[in-house]
Amino acid sequence: MANGQWYPPEWPDRIRALAAGTLTPVSPRRAATVLLLKDTPDGPAVHMLRRRASMAFAGGAYAYPGGGVDPRDDDRLVRWAGPTRAWWAERLGVDEPGAQAIVCAAVRETYEEAGVLLAGPDADSVVGDTTGEDWEADRAALVARELSFAEFLQRRGLVLRSDLLGAWTRWITPEFESRRYDTWFFVAALPEGQRTRNASTEADRTVWIRPAEAAARYDKGELLMMPPTIATLRQLLPYASAAETLAAAPGRDMTPVLARARLRDGEIVLSWPGHEEFTKHIPTAPTGAETTGGGPA
């Protein structure tokens, strides 16, 4: 294949159905994902996980720690450091309870899937080692949704460090998808004293990789990624350190990126505004030739 761009095999049929008016879009669920960064002698590296090949959705694709927002995290005030909830609400384009829940999701998912916790005993610190049995029990309870993140922070007496996050971009799953997410992407630096580990049941490996290397391997078809993943990797290329990346976050445009499918000259044109490399041309009649592999025609 020309690159590592991944498309679900059912997309062409669903796009045709949407164009014909026989498919009603489902409402997207709010989600958050985190580009966790650390500095190396050759520049910043980003933490990525590879989804298990057995996964029904995007099996084998590389992604970042992330997942859905827990509604329980918007109805209880948590101890909070950094920009106010009102500031985050304006930045993320939601109300204050929603902003808290989205930021909580970003911090929770980083802990659940990478073992890294952006929280500490006070507004100026982060926890150290989180690999003990008691920490693992709490992490497992979070994964099982037996414990909300707000409850976890309260139980541990921890302060959520929202100042360690930078809102980077926002992507909404296309209207023709059966599972849709409205996802806020954040950047964060690996806290001193903490280490990542593969704590996700959905991943078979994790890597620290420089964005330029990951993008080059995607272009060669060696790494499989979905459009938001490779797009955000390319956006990291200009920055020489994790701190420089975080400093750039407040100036980033958070207008949602949403794919469009339109009929033109006997074909469906699938595109992401502002991201021309992902444009795909699909015949209006099934050809039996679509695959999950190569990039846009």
Side-chain angles (χ1 to χ4, degrees), residues 72-78 80 85 88 92 94-105 150 160:
R72 296 175 296 176
D73 289 331
D74 68 4
D75 61 3
R76 175 185 299 191
L77 288 179
V78 301
W80 188 276
R85 292 170 181 81
W88 277 109
L92 301 179
V94 297
D95 58 20
E96 290 188 34
Q100 174 176 293
I102 292 165
V103 173
C104 278
L160 185 148

Side-chain angles (χ1 to χ4, degrees), residues 184-196:
W184 285 263
F185 287 71
F186 296 84
V187 291
L190 178 68
E192 186 175 351
Q194 292 194 34
R195 294 184 299 173
T196 57

Side-chain angles (χ1 to χ4, degrees), residues 31-37 46 64-65 87-88 91-92 99 102-107 110 118 162 164-170 183-188 232 236 246 249 254:
T33 191
V34 177
L35 286 68
L36 191 61
L37 305 168
V46 61
Y64 313 114
W87 184 93
W88 277 109
R91 181 76 180 116
L92 301 179
I102 292 165
V103 173
C104 278
V107 177
T110 306
L118 304 176
S162 82
L164 300 181
L165 287 168
W168 191 256
T169 190
R170 179 181 177 185
T183 305
W184 285 263
F185 287 71
F186 296 84
V187 291
T232 48
L236 296 177
L246 280 161
M254 296 298 290

Side-chain angles (χ1 to χ4, degrees), residues 249-297:
R252 295 277 308 167
D253 181 7
M254 296 298 290
T255 302
V257 178
L258 174 64
R260 296 183 301 182
R262 64 189 187 279
L263 289 170
R264 188 181 70 188
D265 299 330
E267 65 181 5
I268 297 168
V269 180
L270 172 62
S271 62
W272 279 259
H275 300 272
E276 286 72 18
E277 72 168 297
F278 304 130
T279 300
K280 188 174 180 66
H281 298 259
I282 303 169
T284 53
T287 64
E290 284 98 8
T291 69
T292 61

